Amino acid sequence: MRAPIGGFDDAHPATERTELLPAAVAAAVTAEMLFVDSDPAIADTAVFAATYGEDLLRQSANCVVVAGKRGGDVTLAACLVLSTTRLDVNGTVRRHLGVRKASFAPMETAVGETGMEYGGITPVGLPPHWPLLVDAAVVDTPYLVIGSGSRRGKLIVPGKALAALPGAVILENLAA
């Protein structure tokens, strides 16, 4: 099957490639999500786009784990923004989470809490109690490349499907 975006010759329904996905992601993928296999060495967005099509820079979204602190409490959340933008951690994220300070979660925390590989974290299959903050521009994009939970492979997902993920909150100006 040919993917709707990028230069992928071999895309499969993600529900048929669950053996290549972390358990939580495998349990959460839906029929409208495609899996494309790729070399883990080219998982980073810029290298991935250079390999599979420069247009993918504008059709990719990054999932970032953030930690918000208020007093002694720490709130973890995931944020999904277009790869050509920057997450507004100290503005929109901090205010939405109602915390005094927000920052990118340490790699060990992001990996340990999600069960996913760093560099492949995806909004699909996140811990169910986490907020998932999604920039409105993500939802408006017909198809996006996102992580698969592993550095090997990517998911291609309709933007609107990301708005329906558990815990998703669509925010204007989540990214700049």
Side-chain angles (χ1 to χ4, degrees):
M1 163 187 292
R2 186 134 176 90
I5 59 173
F8 307 103
D9 294 324
D10 196 21
H12 299 272
T15 54
E16 295 176 6
R17 298 308 302 260
T18 56
E19 75 280 2
L20 298 175
L21 303 170
V25 178
V29 292
T30 63
E32 64 193 330
M33 299 176 185
L34 297 176
F35 177 83
V36 292
D37 204 358
S38 62
D39 181 348
I42 60 166
D44 294 328
T45 305
V47 178
F48 190 83
T51 304
Y52 292 104
E54 291 294 330
D55 60 319
L56 292 178
L57 282 176
R58 294 178 306 285
Q59 296 172 314
S60 296
N62 293 327
C63 186
V64 179
V65 178
V66 296
K69 297 177 184 174
R70 183 183 266 313
D73 296 329
V74 176
T75 300
L76 294 175
C79 301
L80 189 63
V81 297
L82 294 175
S83 64
T84 56
T85 63
R86 295 183 64 143
L87 179 64
D88 183 11
V89 177
N90 291 310
T92 307
V93 172
R94 183 183 55 77
R95 285 190 300 276
H96 183 80
L97 294 178
V99 296
R100 186 182 58 73
K101 182 180 183 212
S103 58
F104 296 107
M107 179 176 67
E108 299 79 22
T109 301
V111 169
E113 295 292 325
T114 63
M116 300 178 200
E117 290 181 12
Y118 194 75
I121 293 178
T122 182
V124 179
L126 289 169
H129 60 281
W130 279 21
L132 169 59
L133 310 182
V134 181
D135 189 75
V138 168
V139 178
D140 293 338
T141 305
Y143 287 95
L144 291 151
V145 173
I146 61 172
S148 68
S150 169
R151 288 186 62 86
R152 176 183 176 179
K154 300 284 185 182
L155 297 176
I156 297 177
V157 181
K160 295 200 182 320
L162 296 166
L165 291 174
V169 177
I170 311 310
L171 296 173
E172 296 289 336
N173 304 315
L174 181 60

